[in-house]
Amino acid sequence: MSFKKETPLANAVFWAARKGNLALLQLLLNSGRVDADCRDSYGTTALMVASYSGHYDCVKELIMQGADINYQRERCTNSAALTLNVFLLLSNTLVILVRPCVFMWQDGGTALTVASQYGHSKVVDTLLKNGANVHDQLNDGATPLFLAAQEGHVTVIRQLLSSGAKVNQAREDGTAPLWMAAQMGHSEVVKVLLLRGADRDADRQDGSTALFKAALKGHNGVIEELLKFSPSLGLLKNGSTALHAAVMSGNLQSVLLLLGANADPTLPNKNSELPADLTKNDRILKVLRPKILNGHS
């Protein structure tokens, strides 16, 4: 794949999009000497830069000027060092001041994936209303919804779901948006996803579920939200239970929440270990052992 060669005017467009300088962006695009779809050597467009930066007015201007809203980066690189030049128009003279600016882009990214990841809800709204593909995927399968869930952007998540995003669409490694939100401790995101039909027991390739990961991390708010939807408390495909994970985390409140939901402390993992075998924490052992002796022996 070949990209359009970078030019001083194209770099000026990037700078204006990055800084939110709408007047300069309009001046450059209206000159007829630079394309709204100009790209750097990594395939990054000005629309992506404006979306990343959250500059709503610049995003609208680029779309109005014909920028390709669904253009997707394809070059195989995990990061692109984009060196931008700062341009000032002084009495029809173009003055160039070189300043480096580094952006981190992921392969397969679009303006919508970038705006979703950084929580720019007004930009997301504009992109969706102008035909952005809500089912865009990075090369690893991550969708805009997945990226918003990872970063905890509730408003963006609601926008994407209302536009038809698939709540259970997983990344290539089997990680669903709910699992990722649970790992990151975003309890409000977990609540929204569950209410919109997220599979509470969806597991990754490693066999862990959202509840297991939340228990392992000690994210009690997430555990509380998940327990409202009666997730599995039994043995998972990874050969363990959420209670084992909570005990390993050392978080007493996580253990109490799961015991209160009737998690079984006498259920062994694949190594024939009870949850109580995985800790030396006296406070946790004190709540586990009466359950073993009195209710599950």
Side-chain angles (χ1 to χ4, degrees), residues 4-63:
K4 299 175 184 179
K5 184 179 179 181
E6 297 171 50
T7 65
L9 285 177
N11 281 335
V13 169
F14 277 104
W15 182 84
R18 172 70 178 90
K19 293 295 184 180
N21 191 327
L22 179 61
L24 178 58
L25 183 64
Q26 290 174 327
L27 179 64
L28 291 163
L29 294 176
N30 289 336
S31 71
R33 298 171 59 193
V34 62
D35 194 326
D37 267 333
C38 57
R39 307 163 193 167
D40 73 354
S41 58
Y42 294 95
T44 307
T45 66
L47 182 59
M48 290 178 188
V49 174
S51 297
Y52 160 86
S53 303
H55 296 309
Y56 164 70
D57 290 334
C58 290
V59 168
K60 287 201 304 182
E61 181 66 26
L62 285 160
I63 292 173

Side-chain angles (χ1 to χ4, degrees), residues 261-283:
N262 294 318
D264 185 355
T266 70
L267 187 62
N269 63 16
K270 64 182 178 181
N271 298 320
S272 301
E273 298 165 316
L274 298 179
D277 296 329
L278 302 179
T279 184
K280 294 182 180 179
N281 185 310
D282 288 337
R283 298 177 68 198

Side-chain angles (χ1 to χ4, degrees), residues 69-132:
I69 204 165
N70 287 313
Y71 174 75
Q72 197 166 3
R73 293 186 76 249
E74 295 182 15
R75 174 168 286 216
C76 295
T77 179
N78 290 326
S79 65
L82 178 64
T83 301
L84 301 183
N85 296 324
V86 179
F87 295 83
L88 303 175
L89 295 175
L90 302 173
S91 303
N92 297 320
T93 301
L94 200 61
V95 180
I96 305 176
L97 305 173
V98 179
R99 294 179 184 173
C101 184
V102 178
F103 294 95
M104 299 299 289
W105 302 104
Q106 293 169 287
D107 289 341
T110 65
L112 182 60
T113 60
V114 170
S116 299
Q117 182 173 1
Y118 288 93
H120 299 311
S121 58
K122 288 183 69 176
V123 173
V124 169
D125 182 62
T126 299
L127 292 170
L128 290 171
K129 286 180 177 177
N130 284 275

Side-chain angles (χ1 to χ4, degrees), residues 223-288:
I223 293 172
E224 289 175 340
E225 293 300 334
L226 287 163
L227 289 176
K228 293 174 185 178
F229 286 77
S230 302
S232 174
L233 297 171
L235 203 63
L236 302 172
K237 291 178 183 177
N238 64 0
S240 191
T241 71
L243 185 56
H244 283 87
V247 170
M248 286 189 291
S249 79
N251 191 306
L252 177 61
Q253 184 60 28
S254 298
V255 173
L256 290 171
L257 285 170
L258 293 170
L259 289 174
N262 294 318
D264 185 355
T266 70
L267 187 62
N269 63 16
K270 64 182 178 181
N271 298 320
S272 301
E273 298 165 316
L274 298 179
D277 296 329
L278 302 179
T279 184
K280 294 182 180 179
N281 185 310
D282 288 337
R283 298 177 68 198
I284 292 177
L285 289 170
K286 188 177 290 187
V287 300
L288 288 173

Side-chain angles (χ1 to χ4, degrees), residues 171-210:
R171 207 169 51 183
E172 286 185 353
D173 63 359
T175 308
L178 179 66
W179 192 101
M180 182 56 71
Q183 172 181 260
M184 302 303 293
H186 301 313
S187 57
E188 187 63 24
V189 171
V190 167
K191 178 180 179 179
V192 170
L193 293 174
L194 288 167
L195 289 172
R196 294 299 293 268
D199 181 354
R200 63 191 183 277
D201 289 322
D203 53 17
R204 293 207 320 168
Q205 290 175 354
D206 63 7
S208 64
T209 63

